[in-house]
């Protein structure tokens, strides 16, 4: 890994992070304090968190079959390496909703990050800013919208090879220094919904991403076993966006003092489903507030719903089953991606979510037609170990893994060269058991 005289390409040489880790070990005796092997990383998180925090991050619906289906779907698709290709520079850059970003990877919206580190969402927001990757903020966050925006700008303020790739010339309500999107859980009080969207826009979140698969939390036995719903416990976290919202507090502030579950029960996971008929109103309001910026639906798993999302005016969808946390025994998210891409991939942006663990996973999802992917549990596991440093290490490792995969597999451009011809489907065989790898 000769770092000298490397030609400059569209993307940073993320692969050099591998050399940095090796050099720190060899010359300084500094080894990573935790494994970035995804299965070992998930396992070691148990030692870093209490039961409530660990199981909130790792619980799945029912017997966990959908979570398993997500991973098995990746195993079925195999990369076809190409040889003697000039991959001395790679192009991982892509365009997403007017943003030029250095790699097709987003920080997925995950709620209640204070369960994993004391400053919660401020950590991944800052790291996303450092890397120039889009950060998606959850309505169930444990920091106010405005504080997360500041953390994201702080990370973006120190320019480097990665975040300097980011370009955007469209409207933004908060002069954001990096790309950031707002994930909305929509309650049934329109005044509160509009207040949330206005705050998000003024704080520089310029894409609205509505989650439609989680009006109510799925049945997750490992959470049931320990009555794992943090909002009902003393000193509850996860109310910060509601508690900082002027409309919610005007209407329900007194109730929140008496019932720490008021915000989450009425405005987030309220158990009262919306229907397609409500979505045009929401799109219209977001367009009014944002000056026409994109609206995305998160939770699509069927061609029919993808077509419906396009018909009603969405600019994008997130193909996700909520990481297997909502419906047990459902299809793996990657299983349905090709058909959805064939139906709407040339009409709207498709973001893939659910089961991404490695650079090759990112490669496969892009090859099957996604424009970008979201990662969630990976960065949560990282910040659970070492806060900001752990989150940074995991995400830089993922970028290095993707960059090296492109290099050694013989694919230069993630948008031009990585397509279905880069993969072969294998319907047989079972993924290796989690213990079937070399480890310390």
């Amino acid at each position: 890994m000769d770092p000298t005289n490397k030609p400059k390409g569209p993307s940073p040489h993320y692969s050099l992070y591998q050399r940095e880790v090796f050099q720190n070990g060899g010359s300084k005796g500094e080894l990573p304090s935790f494994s970035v092997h995804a299965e070992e990383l998930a396992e070691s998180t148990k030692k870093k968190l209490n039961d409530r925090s660990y199981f909130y991050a790792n619980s799945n619906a029912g017997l966990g079959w959908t979570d398993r289906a997500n991973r098995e779907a990746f195993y079925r698709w195999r990369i076809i390496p190409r040889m003697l290709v000039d991959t001395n520079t790679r192009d991982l850059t892509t365009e997403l909703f007017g943003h030029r970003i250095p790699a097709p990877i987003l920080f997925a919206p995950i709620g209640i990050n204070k369960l994993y580190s004391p400053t919660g969402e401020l950590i991944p927001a800052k790291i996303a800013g450092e890397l120039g990757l889009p950060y998606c903020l959850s309505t169930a966050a444990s920091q106010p919208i405005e504080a997360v925006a500041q953390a994201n700008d702080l990370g973006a303020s120190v320019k480097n090879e990665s975040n300097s790739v980011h370009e955007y010339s469209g409207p933004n309500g908060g002069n954001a220094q990096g790309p950031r999107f707002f994930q909305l859980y929509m309650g049934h009080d329109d005044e509160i919904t509009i207040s949330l969207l206005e705050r998000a826009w003024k704080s520089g979140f310029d894409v609205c991403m509505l989650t439609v698969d989680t009006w109510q939390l799925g049945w997750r036995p490992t959470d049931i076993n320990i009555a794992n719903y943090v909002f009902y416990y003393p000193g509850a976290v996860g109310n910060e966006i509601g508690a900082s919202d002027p409309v919610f507090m005007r209407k329900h502030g007194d109730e929140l003092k008496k019932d720490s579950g008021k915000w989450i029960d009425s405005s987030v996971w309220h158990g009262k489903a919306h229907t397609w008929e409500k979505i045009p109103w929401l799109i219209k309001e977001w367009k009014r507030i944002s000056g026409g910026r994109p609206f995305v639906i998160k939770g699509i798993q069927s061609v029919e719903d993808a077509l419906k999302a396009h018909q009603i005016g969405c600019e994008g969808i997130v193909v996700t089953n909520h990481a297997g946390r909502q419906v047990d025994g459902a299809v793996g998210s990657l299983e349905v991606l090709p058909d959805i891409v064939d139906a709407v991939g040339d009409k709207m942006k498709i973001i893939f979510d659910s089961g991404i663990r490695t650079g090759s996973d990112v490669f496969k999802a892009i090859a099957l037609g996604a424009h970008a992917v979201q990662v969630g549990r990976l960065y949560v596991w990282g910040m659970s170990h070492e806060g900001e440093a752990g989150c940074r290490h995991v995400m830089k490792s993922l970028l290095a893994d993707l960059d090296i995969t492109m290099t050694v597999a013989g694919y230069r451009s993630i948008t031009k060269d990585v397509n279905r011809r880069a993969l072969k489907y294998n319907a047989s065989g079972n993924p290796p058991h989690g213990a079937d790898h070399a480890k310390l």
Side-chain angles (χ1 to χ4, degrees), residues 92-254:
L92 305 183
T93 65
T94 193
E95 181 275 330
L96 191 65
F97 305 127
H99 292 274
R100 181 174 182 253
I101 55 177
I105 298 172
L106 293 74
F107 284 64
I110 292 183
I112 333 176
N113 283 191
K114 284 183 181 177
L115 292 176
Y116 316 119
S117 198
T119 57
E121 288 78 8
L122 303 188
I123 289 174
K126 181 182 178 184
I127 304 305
E130 290 180 6
L131 297 172
L133 301 175
Y135 176 76
C136 303
L137 175 64
S138 170
T139 306
S142 52
Q143 289 281 6
I145 295 171
E146 297 77 9
V148 175
Q150 291 174 1
N152 189 235
D153 282 341
L154 177 63
S157 66
V158 180
K159 294 302 175 185
N160 55 59
E161 279 192 304
S162 190
N163 63 22
S164 292
V165 172
H166 174 246
E167 295 177 355
Y168 175 70
S169 59
N172 185 279
N175 192 30
Q177 302 304 298
R180 50 183 182 255
F181 308 155
F182 182 67
Q183 176 271 334
L184 176 68
Y185 283 117
M186 181 167 61
H188 288 266
D189 185 319
D190 292 347
E191 190 181 1
I192 292 174
T193 295
I194 290 172
S195 179
L196 292 172
L197 295 182
E198 288 178 340
R199 290 174 63 199
W201 173 249
K202 290 175 183 176
S203 295
F205 295 84
D206 62 32
V207 172
C208 179
M209 181 183 291
L210 174 69
T211 292
V212 296
D213 60 6
T214 313
W215 313 119
Q216 170 170 331
L217 294 188
W219 182 259
R220 305 171 189 171
T222 50
D223 279 333
I224 296 295
N225 293 344
I226 58 171
N228 196 19
Y229 205 60
V230 66
F231 310 96
Y232 295 167
Y233 286 87
V237 295
N239 289 324
E240 283 79 354
I241 286 184
S244 58
D245 190 85
V247 175
F248 177 82
M249 292 304 288
R250 171 170 53 81
K251 291 187 170 188
H252 304 294
D254 290 340

Side-chain angles (χ1 to χ4, degrees), residues 332-365:
S333 200
L334 198 75
E335 291 181 73
V336 299
L337 178 62
D339 288 344
I340 291 173
V341 168
D342 290 344
V344 299
D346 61 343
K347 302 177 179 68
M348 63 200 311
K349 292 293 186 182
I350 297 178
I351 300 169
F352 176 84
D353 176 289
S354 296
I356 295 287
R357 298 290 185 268
T358 67
S360 63
D361 292 342
V362 178
F363 183 104
K364 292 174 184 180

Side-chain angles (χ1 to χ4, degrees), residues 71-90:
R71 294 301 304 144
E72 288 183 345
F74 279 99
Y75 181 74
R76 304 289 180 212
W77 289 100
R78 314 286 172 81
I79 297 170
I80 303 172
R82 302 299 304 274
M83 298 298 113
L84 296 173
V85 177
D86 183 359
T87 57
N88 287 303
T89 62
R90 281 79 56 202

